[in-house]
Amino acid sequence: MRPTHFILLLFLVPFLAVAQQKMTLEDCYALANKNYPLAKQNQLLSQKKNLELQTLAKDYLPKIDLNAQATYQSEVTQVPVKIPNSTINPLNKDQYRATLDINQIIYNGGLQEVNNTIKETQTKVQQQQVSVNLYQLKTRINQLYFSIFLLQERAAILLAKREQLQSKITEVKTGVKFGALLPASEKVLEAEELKIKQQLSEIKFDKKRALENLSILTASPLDENTTLLKPTLNLDSNSKNNRPELQLFDLQNEQIEISKTAISKNNLPKLKAFGQAGYGNPGLNMLDNSFQTFYMVGLKANWNVFDWNKSKTDKEILSVSENIIAAEKETFLLNNSIQLQEMNNEIQKLEEIISSDLEIIALRETVLKSSDAQLKNGVITASDYIVEFTNLYEAKTNYKLHEIQLLLAKANYNITKGN
């Protein structure tokens, strides 16, 4: 190898080592929140709101209408008396008119501002519902993440088990060679090594499948070389409940209050300015039987002073909706409290089990050391040794299983609490 190539390889080795992708639980949450298809709705809802606000703003611009009509009527207005020295021609039975009408809202009780606020709050409610749906993904991510993490830990235990077994096989081969041990002892240990190989192969494919599912949820490329890092999880049972559903309930109530304001303002007086310019036969002068131009401007006020208590009923409907939301919120908090209590009990149970696991492992290690010495001296068979050897690693596997179950329980607790 050329010296330059060797130096280049030395620089590349660190980068190759970093190439192995590492993921944290928070990374998975963030990627899912960003890349999951549902997340696109937030931007779309904002675009929809902006377009709706533009539409509302145009409702308060002048309304311009161009109208034209031609009619023929069987009778026309006539002057019933004759005026001396004057001739009044009767109107034509065919009449024509074209007008340009302009209407402009001057005052509508502040409905424009309220309608804009309604649209903005409505969008916030819809976006918060998206946040609630995205938040529920965290539970699915937890299940996949800790399933994969458990497979990693099991693989690490099996690799350590195989390494120790291979060392023992080397010792047994030496014992068989010098006649201290029976040849079958070597075969028993080799069979156990093959069993470990099978288990590692099974874990490899299970991890690959779980990583593919996690990759879909996070919309991020994950392969079998991806390593998931052990999360550090702390519980704060006294912290405030920050579930997104609670904010959704508050926004729904806010939307109802604004709707009540809109109902009140809808009954206030409204003032419009209008204008009309036209050309027709006859014009505004009905006695002039010819084509004329004309115009008219004015103000128009409108006030619905009595609506048969429709506004009152509409507000009562909204009040009932508020009570429905309050009941939903109360039910949610009750169920949430029950879930947190159950999870807290599960966490305490697992912590006690883990404490026992550590004691079991210490005892199993002592027993295996004794079995190891007995095997070397030919007191027990390799099969007897494998029993104790397997018992130790089964205890270590149970410990890892319970440890990861505890992490999962804590992660689910934090999600249920909204932390």
Side-chain angles (χ1 to χ4, degrees):
M1 180 183 291
R2 295 180 180 179
T4 54
H5 291 172
F6 179 74
I7 294 172
L8 180 61
L9 183 61
L10 287 177
F11 279 102
L12 284 175
V13 166
F15 292 100
L16 293 173
V18 175
Q20 185 181 20
Q21 188 177 9
K22 294 183 178 181
M23 294 280 288
T24 66
L25 184 59
E26 292 298 328
D27 290 337
C28 293
Y29 290 158
L31 287 170
N33 200 52
K34 177 183 177 182
N35 299 327
Y36 197 70
L38 186 64
K40 298 176 183 177
Q41 285 192 11
N42 280 327
Q43 184 177 359
L44 294 174
L45 287 169
S46 294
Q47 292 176 358
K48 178 187 173 187
K49 179 200 70 175
N50 292 334
L51 292 172
E52 288 173 338
L53 290 177
Q54 290 177 25
T55 301
L56 286 174
K58 290 176 181 178
D59 287 340
Y60 296 92
L61 295 176
K63 301 292 185 297
I64 302 175
D65 296 315
L66 182 62
N67 303 297
Q69 70 175 29
T71 62
Y72 182 86
Q73 55 197 66
S74 59
E75 295 290 338
V76 293
T77 303
Q78 295 184 359
V79 178
V81 295
K82 292 184 179 181
I83 301 175
N85 301 322
S86 177
T87 301
I88 299 176
N89 296 324
L91 294 175
N92 295 330
K93 291 184 178 181
D94 56 323
Q95 298 183 3
Y96 308 90
R97 171 173 288 213
T99 61
L100 182 67
D101 296 283
I102 301 176
N103 290 277
Q104 173 63 55
I105 296 175
I106 297 177
Y107 176 73
N108 68 344
L111 268 179
Q112 180 179 1
E113 293 78 7
V114 173
N115 287 335
N116 288 346
T117 306
I118 287 176
K119 287 297 179 185
E120 290 174 352
T121 307
Q122 187 180 57
T123 300
K124 289 179 182 178
V125 169
Q126 293 170 335
Q127 289 177 330
Q128 188 62 26
Q129 183 62 61
V130 172
S131 298
V132 169
N133 295 336
L134 287 173
Y135 192 81
Q136 293 171 355
L137 280 177
K138 288 187 174 183
T139 302
R140 293 172 61 187
I141 290 173
N142 280 353
Q143 294 295 334
L144 285 171
Y145 189 94
F146 287 104
S147 294
I148 296 167
F149 189 70
L150 176 59
L151 291 171
Q152 285 181 188
E153 295 298 303
R154 282 184 58 199
I157 291 173
L158 286 171
L159 289 172
K161 182 179 179 181
R162 185 175 65 178
E163 183 179 354
Q164 186 173 351
L165 187 62
Q166 287 172 341
S167 176
K168 181 56 60 180
I169 290 173
T170 302
E171 291 180 11
V172 169
K173 282 183 177 180
T174 304
V176 171
K177 180 179 179 181
F178 292 101
L181 297 173
L182 295 174
S185 300
E186 180 183 347
K187 303 301 180 184
V188 169
L189 297 181
E190 288 176 345
E192 183 66 20
E193 184 183 14
L194 286 173
K195 182 179 176 182
I196 293 173
K197 184 179 179 181
Q198 283 182 331
Q199 292 172 332
L200 286 170
S201 179
E202 182 181 355
I203 287 173
K204 176 183 177 182
F205 287 102
D206 288 345
K207 180 183 176 183
K208 181 176 180 293
R209 182 174 63 252
L211 278 169
E212 287 172 351
N213 292 333
L214 185 60
S215 177
I216 292 172
L217 280 182
T218 58
S220 177
L222 304 175
D223 56 32
E224 58 187 21
N225 294 320
T226 301
T227 299
L228 303 185
L229 302 180
K230 181 179 179 180
T232 301
L233 299 169
N234 298 314
L235 298 184
D236 185 2
S237 57
N238 296 321
S239 63
K240 181 182 177 182
N241 194 323
N242 292 317
R243 284 291 292 267
E245 289 88 345
L246 299 178
Q247 188 176 353
L248 177 61
F249 293 137
D250 293 339
L251 287 171
Q252 288 173 336
N253 283 325
E254 182 181 339
Q255 186 178 9
I256 289 174
E257 289 301 321
I258 296 171
S259 298
K260 287 181 179 180
T261 304
I263 292 173
S264 298
K265 290 186 176 294
N266 198 46
N267 289 330
L268 294 176
K270 297 173 181 59
L271 181 65
K272 290 183 180 180
F274 67 89
Q276 184 183 69
Y279 181 72
N281 181 5
L284 296 181
N285 183 359
M286 299 296 294
L287 298 180
D288 188 348
N289 193 17
S290 64
F291 280 92
Q292 307 167 39
T293 58
F294 59 87
Y295 74 90
M296 180 173 29
V297 295
L299 295 173
K300 181 180 179 181
N302 174 264
W303 188 6
N304 184 8
V305 293
F306 186 69
D307 64 352
W308 304 96
N309 287 328
K310 181 179 180 296
S311 298
K312 181 180 178 182
T313 304
D314 288 340
K315 288 183 178 180
E316 288 177 353
I317 292 171
L318 291 175
S319 295
V320 172
S321 297
E322 279 183 320
N323 292 333
I324 292 172
I325 293 171
E328 290 177 349
K329 183 177 181 179
E330 184 180 0
T331 303
F332 174 82
L333 288 172
L334 176 63
N335 292 332
N336 187 259
S337 178
I338 294 172
Q339 285 180 315
L340 289 172
Q341 185 61 46
E342 291 176 349
M343 290 177 176
N344 192 45
N345 290 334
E346 181 69 14
I347 289 170
Q348 292 178 9
K349 181 185 78 174
L350 287 168
E351 286 175 343
E352 289 189 11
I353 291 175
I354 289 172
S355 178
S356 299
D357 282 333
L358 293 173
E359 294 178 10
I360 292 171
I361 289 172
L363 292 172
R364 289 294 181 190
E365 286 176 341
T366 302
V367 172
L368 184 62
K369 287 180 181 179
S370 176
S371 298
D372 183 42
Q374 290 175 339
L375 178 62
K376 289 179 181 178
N377 296 322
V379 177
I380 62 172
T381 64
S383 297
D384 296 327
Y385 174 82
I386 286 297
V387 170
E388 298 303 332
F389 182 74
T390 303
N391 285 339
L392 170 61
Y393 279 94
E394 182 180 346
K396 289 185 176 181
T397 302
N398 287 337
Y399 167 71
K400 281 299 176 183
L401 172 62
H402 295 144
E403 185 183 39
I404 293 170
Q405 285 177 336
L406 177 61
L407 289 172
L408 175 59
K410 287 182 176 180
N412 286 336
Y413 182 93
N414 286 337
I415 289 175
T416 304
K417 193 71 180 286
N419 295 336

